[in-house]
Amino acid sequence: MEKRRRSSGHGVGRRDFFRTAGAGLVASGLPLTADSAASAPPPAPSVRFAPSGGLLRISANLYLLRDTCNVYVLKDRDHAVLVDFGSGHVLTLLGSIGVSKVDAILHTHHHRDQAQGHLRAAAERIPIHVPAHERHLFEDAENFWRNRRVFHLYRVCNDFFTLTRNVRVAGVLRDYESFRFGPYELLIYPTPGHTLGSISLVGTVDGRKVAFSGDLIHSPGKVVNLYELQYDYGDAAGVDFAIFSLTRLRELKPELVCPSHGEPFADPDAGMAQLVDRMKGWYESYSPGSRLTVENRPFAVTPHLVCSHQTTSSFYALISDSGKALFVDYGSASGNYFNQFNAAAPVDERMRFVEHTIPELRARHGLRSVEVAMPSHMHDDHLNGFPHLVRHHGAKIWCFENMVDVLQKPRGHNLGCILAEPIRVDRSFRHGERFRWEEFEFTVMHSPGHTEYQMALLAEIDGARVAFTGDALFPAAAGAPYQLRHNLIYRNWVENDSHLRSMKAILDYQPTLVAPGHGKPFLANQADLQELQERLTKQQDYFRSVIADRDCDFGLNPSWARLYPYQLEVTPGGSTALELRVRNYRTAPMRVEAALVLPPGWKAQPETASLTVPAKGDGAFAFTITVPASWDGTKPRVAVAADLVADGEYLGEIAEGVVDLARG
Ligand SMILES: [Zn+2]
Ligand SMILES: [Zn+2]
Ligand SMILES: [Zn+2]
């Protein structure tokens, strides 16, 4: 941050400040929670310092106050919207420019210097709008501090610059949507880098296209600091992000950049390009061999099939002669994007997604529209971009039938790599079903193993027999005594013959080209595929030899007895349905008795239940649970369990779920 001389308001000297530090917090009574803020505005805190200058006029309706950050005032007659808020001192100055009402505060990111005056805004009931992917760092800041690791610190990301108290959030600013105020329409543009959730706001003000860019750029060729651009020990991911964000922001051709620190500057393109060049030069010397996300390029595998393999998962665009595309998968822009946004996502929300590759597909591969997107499997690294394709490209979502519920009700399941956002499915396909799209014919096959929720999509494209195989198989590492490898993730629902069934479906098709979910497509060699099949047969022997239960699937699948939905939501005072689902791997029917184990005061109906689950089949118990209206609001998420007896053997509380208590 830039250091600026602060005048000490109200005659409080430096000594007094240290003696009374914290008094303002105590004076406001109970900790400010979103709930308490709803009932009564908190008293405005005592103010100790204030910026020395006043409002500067940038253009007819745009003003700047140099506070702990730059606070921009966007005026419409006697109303205003503020971009960032600093100490809140701006509120004492607005009368001088004829503003009587602040309609909203819009934050570019969550840092304390951007928002530390939020209690003054709350006292005047000014609605605070925050970037969608930093919402939790405003309204759940106190919880952030309870969980932020300080010892054994490798996540060195400076989220330590998070606010100390919860902020009541009135609205969220969602990427690629707009915020409208009077004659202004501000595009909410994702510009991660300085923070992972940072946005820029871009729109026309007084005849000029203005970008309120937060701390993406300080001044031509410069950033305010570099330490915000490091998230993990020794990494340079934030530099990669800043370069990508600046490159995308340049494409919008702003005429004036209004940064959070530094001076507003006109004709910013050269200054942004200079910053990109400087950071690129350093990145390439610091991380030789690692590729910048902005340099990822898709390539044509055949005339109609384009592959992007440098993104976090590979995705494929099958582009018909009409220019319409069917995407197989569409995940994050790069490994950096996936890993960092994943690490930063709160427990109840999806990770961030930033659009990529589509401009290149349009410019170089004849893409006109994205008509359909199909996930090879339900993993977030493969379909993270699907909600964006639906919202901003009008794409339809098609998938294999067993993925429908996972996509539409992600809270139902506890499997590896579920995307938190529900995705509505427009069409689903059965095992072995054929369909036509544009000039291409497809067959969908169930392809379990990597996950139960995976398909193999088979199609003849430009004379090649292509198998889109998701994460079923990959080329082996150099030095391995074989050519192909698979992987095994028990949480993804694996049974002893899952991988084998998948390999059989792929081998039967006799593909000439395998298009995997990571890495480049490769020529299919039948001998190599058969060799993998033999190893998968041996894997079954291994399972049977080391798992104690005679039906080894009980030792492979942690979810054979499970609660559905796994993440339940209920309002205190309300009731909801909960199922215990059981897969019986025995060759004989299984008698199961069950009871729910709930927090004190909660009721289950029935209290105990019993059921015979058919051999090699499924069964479900239906329960209703009721939560007392007096439920303690300080426990917003609790665990519940199911206690089980199977064929007379008491297994205990082997299934569980979590319950989120919605605010009534
Ligand atoms: Zn900042
Ligand atoms: Zn996967
Ligand atoms: Zn994957």
Side-chain angles (χ1 to χ4, degrees), residues 377 379 381-382 450 471 518:
H377 59 300
H379 284 167
D381 57 327
H382 294 256
H450 173 67
D471 289 353
H518 297 268

Side-chain angles (χ1 to χ4, degrees), residues 12-23 48:
V12 179
R14 202 173 156 73
R15 290 187 98 166
D16 294 318
F17 167 66
F18 283 115
R19 215 169 40 212
T20 58
R48 303 187 187 95

Side-chain angles (χ1 to χ4, degrees), residues 376-382 417 450-451 454 470-471 474 487 489 492 518:
S376 62
H377 59 300
M378 43 60 73
H379 284 167
D380 48 7
D381 57 327
H382 294 256
C417 325
H450 173 67
T451 164
Q454 179 169 261
D471 289 353
F474 302 107
N487 62 20
I489 300 101
N492 291 354
H518 297 268

